[in-house]
Amino acid sequence: MKTPEPRPGAAQQSSSPGDERAVHGIWSGTISFSLVAIPVQLVKAVEPGRVSFRLLHDKDYSPLVRRMFCPREGALVPPEEIIRGFEIGPGKYLAVTDEELESVSPERSRTIEIVDFIDLEEVAPVYFDHPYYLIPAKGGEKAYGLLAEVMSRTSKAGLAKFVLHEREYPVLLKSTAGALALITLHYHDEILGAEDILPPEAEVDEEEKRRIKTSIKNLLADFDPRKYADARRQRIIDLLKKKAKEQGEVEAPAVAEEGGEGPADLIAALEESMRRVKQQ
Amino acid sequence: MSRKLVEIAGKRLSLANLEKDLYPSFGFTKAQILKYYRRMAPFILPHLKDRALTCKRYPEGVAGDFFFEKRCPGHRPGWVKTAGVRQDDGELRTVCLVNDLETLIWVGNLASLELHVPLARAATPETPDFLVFDLDPGEPADILDCARVALILRDLLNNLRLTGYVKTSGQKGLHVYVPLNRPETTFEDTKTFSRAAAAIMEKNYPDLVTAKMAREPRQGRVFINWSQNDGAKTMICVYSLRAREKPYVSCPLAWGELEELAGQGDPQRLHFLSAEAVSRAEKQGDLFREVLVKQQKLPHLS
């Protein structure tokens, strides 16, 4: 039996209905190769199941924020006094500005241009970095379906370059259960060579070789990812349920936090800026 | 119906009902409206350029019915520049681009008193060129309260090394614009930033500010409407007339001026009529010029 492949949409449906980001794409644009152009949206394929905790002040459960601290001055450093430095030796730095970094960042792009089609088996799993799904946008459904079908039938995958969040990645486009998946790949330079870890050549004992073959054969099975669950996560959730029943929740002092969601660094920078506005 | 033929930049235009008073309780005819837009053209055109126009048309004047028109009328002259804008349902809508004086006058001739434009250009609909804070006072709060909020926002932004620019809405409130002009900005960025900033303002000035859309908390407070930072929303263009009892204008101000006028405590000083808006612009130049060119990056978004 073949393992049922995951499909885009399944994960999205299971997330909470109020979460707009689950439905909206992370990126939208066009897949293109030769004369074909397919409008698509990029969506998440995985949602790490980590239980996350917030850090609180123990005496009254106030949520804490991170600030930058200068040990030499013994004082907090406001965001506009923070720059980036590359360490070239002990205590020696090259200062690099946002503008300089930006000048070497790739231009944001609206296309995924497939430059090669390759055999899927050729790509060693060690190259796979992060998976996403592509879903067809209005008007692209037909060409999308065709590309997915042909790639699936021929076991081919498309190779492309893709810019996301100011970085350019080599990516692999493959068919999965009638849909298209996009997997960002590691650069060749990032892959650690396997030469050093290979065991030295040794004499092969035919008897032993046969025993290993038999053992493997006895354990042959289909890959069923549903068999594996994150046991620690489940135990944490059970623990939280038990505590919620026993002690109830603990309320933090009122901080008008509603609508204030946003990256923690942004909130901290705004808080700091506001603190200085009020001092003026 | 009376008609008058005019020629602008070699383009012929037939202007209708020029004597019609569209602001009857004040007295401001269509001829005066067209004259206003003609004199304001050097200032308003750069802000309309390449953006999908939404007209708010008042064929019977400000006291009559109005309608919004987003689609560029089919009876337009051949020289009116247009763009196709993809709708949510996938349909392509043809919109007018007011890129020259002749189009501005043609649009005005349709009794389009109010000119609204999106935060992104038609060719790059997902890239806002600026972030806006739409400050809307809930009675009994007024434009002076908006001025207080705008001045705090200015300082909040300055501490993050961002420069904002302020204009009156031409109605009751103020608009603070933060120019970005960077191709990688998304509406998600501007929404995240403006929502977080509005929440911080609300948290620190709970009696003055609300970031909530609901009616009740807006009473007596200034509502910071951050949700305008959206590809589907439009803002009244700077220098556009408003359809009120008098021809008020969405008028830019220097921060020092706002500080001074707010200090005088007379809300009326913060409402500018067409004639005053013209003389201000001709004397001071376009106080909103930087909004179109200044490049700034919103910090701490990733």
Side-chain angles (χ1 to χ4, degrees):
Chain A
M1 190 202 92
K2 202 168 175 264
T3 314
E5 281 190 88
R7 278 189 64 104
Q12 267 75 36
Q13 275 155 22
S14 67
S15 66
S16 69
D19 185 2
E20 279 199 348
R21 271 170 219 200
V23 236
H24 279 165
I26 305 165
W27 177 93
S28 67
T30 324
I31 302 174
S32 79
F33 57 98
S34 41
L35 289 173
V36 184
I38 310 171
V40 288
Q41 280 207 314
L42 187 76
V43 297
K44 278 193 273 192
V46 291
E47 181 76 65
R50 271 189 57 189
V51 179
S52 64
F53 293 98
R54 291 199 61 170
L55 298 179
L56 306 175
H57 199 173
D58 71 347
K59 67 177 178 199
D60 65 354
Y61 298 97
S62 290
L64 301 177
V65 293
R66 284 175 208 275
R67 294 280 164 78
M68 288 303 191
F69 181 76
C70 174
R72 207 179 70 83
E73 282 187 11
L76 291 177
V77 181
E80 71 275 14
E81 287 175 22
I82 299 175
I83 60 168
R84 249 182 278 269
F86 180 81
E87 189 161 17
I88 45 175
K92 289 201 168 49
Y93 298 93
L94 290 175
V96 180
T97 65
D98 289 352
E99 288 73 25
E100 285 167 327
L101 277 183
E102 205 177 299
S103 70
V104 294
S105 295
E107 291 250 343
R108 183 188 262 186
S109 158
R110 286 277 165 229
T111 51
I112 302 172
E113 177 151 15
I114 301 182
V115 286
D116 295 309
F117 283 97
I118 54 157
D119 278 324
L120 191 49
E121 285 96 66
E122 274 185 63
V123 190
V126 69
Y127 279 93
F128 291 164
D129 182 12
H130 199 82
Y132 298 90
Y133 292 123
L134 290 164
I135 53 177
K138 201 92 184 172
E141 295 86 350
K142 210 170 147 193
Y144 176 100
L146 273 174
L147 177 61
E149 197 222 303
V150 174
M151 286 209 299
S152 162
R153 200 153 27 83
T154 56
S155 296
K156 299 284 182 209
L159 270 183
K161 279 180 177 172
F162 178 54
V163 179
L164 186 68
H165 301 145
E166 298 181 0
R167 267 200 65 185
E168 185 180 76
Y169 301 87
V171 296
L172 188 78
L173 263 66
K174 67 184 276 290
S175 169
T176 169
L180 292 178
L182 178 148
I183 301 161
T184 58
L185 301 179
H186 289 293
Y187 284 101
H188 180 70
D189 290 355
E190 297 172 341
I191 306 297
L192 301 179
E195 303 83 44
D196 307 345
I197 58 161
L198 285 179
E201 295 245 355
E203 200 97 342
V204 181
D205 180 341
E206 282 306 320
E207 177 61 20
E208 208 168 338
K209 193 171 170 183
R210 215 179 43 245
R211 254 207 335 271
I212 288 184
K213 268 186 175 169
T214 320
S215 302
I216 290 179
K217 213 167 152 190
N218 289 342
L219 291 173
L220 270 186
D222 290 318
F223 175 55
D224 182 2
R226 286 168 297 196
K227 285 202 300 201
Y228 313 101
D230 182 343
R232 178 170 182 270
R233 174 171 184 266
Q234 194 49 52
R235 285 198 295 269
I236 293 177
I237 291 172
D238 292 344
L239 171 74
L240 291 175
K241 280 188 181 152
K242 186 161 154 268
K243 290 191 72 117
K245 208 177 277 173
E246 283 168 11
Q247 67 168 56
E249 64 228 81
V250 186
E251 197 131 352
V255 270
E257 245 216 314
E258 194 187 327
E261 69 264 47
D265 284 354
L266 172 62
I267 305 288
L270 284 165
E271 301 252 17
E272 172 61 21
S273 170
M274 181 57 87
R275 192 183 59 76
R276 292 195 294 137
V277 169
K278 289 183 142 179
Q279 275 175 358
Q280 283 161 13
Chain B
M1 191 158 79
S2 68
R3 289 203 164 271
K4 187 182 172 194
L5 271 176
V6 295
E7 204 176 287
I8 303 169
K11 315 282 174 20
R12 285 180 166 225
L13 264 172
S14 160
L15 306 177
N17 293 331
L18 287 174
E19 67 293 339
K20 185 161 186 161
D21 191 352
L22 294 179
Y23 289 82
S25 65
F26 179 76
F28 202 60
T29 64
K30 198 160 145 194
Q32 285 171 294
I33 289 161
L34 295 184
K35 203 168 144 198
Y36 169 79
Y37 277 125
R38 182 169 204 147
R39 275 187 80 176
M40 272 303 200
F43 305 103
I44 194 173
L45 281 173
H47 297 278
L48 293 168
K49 190 171 192 290
D50 294 334
R51 292 175 201 275
L53 178 76
T54 297
C55 308
K56 205 171 168 194
R57 293 178 57 184
Y58 288 80
E60 298 308 319
V62 294
D65 287 340
F66 66 86
F67 57 99
F68 278 102
E69 194 156 59
K70 286 181 183 274
R71 192 175 296 279
C72 196
H75 55 75
R76 62 179 176 269
W79 41 261
V80 168
K81 291 185 188 65
T82 61
V85 173
R86 182 74 60 193
Q87 302 302 293
D88 284 345
D89 58 9
E91 291 290 301
L92 210 57
R93 172 192 283 156
T94 304
V95 296
C96 307
L97 303 179
V98 184
N99 288 5
D100 46 45
L101 175 64
E102 49 274 28
T103 307
L104 179 61
I105 298 303
W106 172 72
V107 164
N109 181 52
L110 300 175
S112 317
L113 303 184
E114 296 197 350
L115 310 177
H116 299 250
V117 282
L119 280 55
R121 286 167 215 263
T124 48
E126 290 171 59
T127 310
D129 298 312
F130 28 81
L131 174 151
V132 299
F133 293 99
D134 179 355
L135 310 183
D136 183 17
E139 280 182 14
D142 63 12
I143 199 161
L144 291 174
D145 298 295
C146 288
R148 274 182 69 200
V149 173
L151 290 166
I152 299 166
L153 258 180
R154 171 195 63 179
D155 295 343
L156 183 72
L157 292 167
N158 282 353
N159 286 339
L160 296 168
R161 287 195 288 192
L162 292 168
T163 306
Y165 296 83
V166 67
K167 68 179 175 79
T168 63
S169 70
Q171 281 178 328
K172 292 175 185 159
L174 293 175
H175 298 155
V176 174
Y177 280 49
V178 184
L180 303 169
N181 296 305
R182 295 163 58 97
E184 74 279 15
T185 315
T186 63
F187 280 105
E188 196 175 316
D189 293 343
T190 53
K191 205 172 276 184
T192 301
F193 186 95
S194 58
R195 180 174 51 201
I200 291 284
M201 291 287 290
E202 178 188 69
K203 178 176 157 187
N204 284 275
Y205 298 90
D207 297 331
L208 179 64
V209 173
T210 178
K212 293 183 196 72
M213 186 76 75
R215 284 265 158 245
E216 198 263 323
R218 284 165 66 173
Q219 247 181 46
R221 294 191 182 86
V222 174
F223 170 45
I224 302 184
N225 188 358
W226 48 267
S227 71
Q228 288 296 112
N229 293 292
D230 190 293
K233 298 281 178 68
T234 61
M235 292 290 290
I236 188 80
C237 188
V238 65
Y239 304 115
S240 170
L241 290 169
R242 297 310 300 256
R244 294 171 63 197
E245 72 282 14
K246 296 177 187 176
Y248 287 111
V249 171
S250 176
C251 193
L253 287 159
W255 284 112
E257 248 181 324
L258 181 69
E259 224 158 4
E260 203 184 309
L261 292 174
Q264 293 169 4
D266 176 7
Q268 204 44 47
R269 301 287 309 268
L270 284 166
H271 296 276
F272 299 92
L273 285 167
S274 55
E276 195 178 355
V278 169
S279 67
R280 283 172 58 87
E282 288 179 349
K283 199 157 82 203
Q284 301 176 315
D286 179 9
L287 290 176
F288 243 44
R289 191 185 322 116
E290 289 292 307
V291 169
L292 294 175
V293 293
K294 194 177 180 69
Q295 294 200 339
Q296 301 191 101
K297 186 175 181 176
L298 296 174
H300 305 293
L301 279 174
S302 50

